[in-house]
Amino acid sequence: MKLEVVVLPVSDVDRAKDFYTRQLGFRLDADFPIDDGYRIVQVTPPGSACSVIFGDGVSEAEPGTTRGLHLIVSDLEQALKELTGQGVAVSGPFHDATGAFHHAGERARIPGLHPERASYGSFAAFSDPDGNGWLLQEVTQRLPGR
């Protein structure tokens, strides 16, 4: 098994398509207007094997309710420059007070990169126009088996 698609609830498909393709640089894989009230848009982050689908009639969830999606980057500072240069509002960098992963929400966030710049330890956050929450996580050295 492998995770291949994540479905996001959005309120405005064209606005989401513009955000994910133009601002984030995701590849547009498909835009299928099937019929009235049913449209499928699939985009893929650069270098990812997992895609994101949004559209009309593809999710029963309320727009903006998805949280905790992670985009892995090898250089968080560079990723922040690129995203802010494209007009994306990003908070961070930050690391968790425990030095491990991160708490839900903004609890235990310490401003700045992980002090040792430990792989998996530095984060930044942003939301799409509907409020679906994404995190950037810096991974420079993979754990064994990854």
Side-chain angles (χ1 to χ4, degrees), residues 32-74:
F32 298 121
I34 307 298
D35 59 32
D36 190 37
Y38 189 50
R39 177 180 174 191
I40 305 161
V41 177
Q42 180 173 315
V43 296
T44 303
S48 180
C50 185
S51 297
V52 175
I53 286 180
F54 52 84
D56 292 322
V58 298
S59 176
E60 292 181 337
E62 288 296 316
T65 56
T66 301
R67 302 279 185 279
L69 299 165
H70 282 64
L71 292 170
I72 306 305
V73 298
S74 59

Side-chain angles (χ1 to χ4, degrees), residues 34-124:
I34 307 298
D35 59 32
D36 190 37
Y38 189 50
R39 177 180 174 191
I40 305 161
V41 177
Q42 180 173 315
V43 296
T44 303
S48 180
C50 185
S51 297
V52 175
I53 286 180
F54 52 84
D56 292 322
V58 298
S59 176
E60 292 181 337
E62 288 296 316
T65 56
T66 301
R67 302 279 185 279
L69 299 165
H70 282 64
L71 292 170
I72 306 305
V73 298
S74 59
D75 184 334
L76 187 59
E77 291 175 310
Q78 181 61 36
L80 289 171
K81 286 179 191 174
E82 290 173 13
L83 289 179
T84 57
Q86 293 293 344
V88 179
V90 184
S91 65
F94 62 87
H95 60 282
D96 193 83
T98 64
F101 197 56
H102 59 80
H103 285 79
E106 296 185 18
R107 192 173 135 243
R109 284 186 183 177
I110 297 176
L113 298 165
H114 186 280
E116 288 88 42
R117 197 84 185 250
S119 192
Y120 296 92
S122 297
F123 303 89

Side-chain angles (χ1 to χ4, degrees), residues 1-5 49-50:
M1 282 186 250
K2 69 178 184 177
L3 180 63
E4 194 164 314
V5 171
C50 185

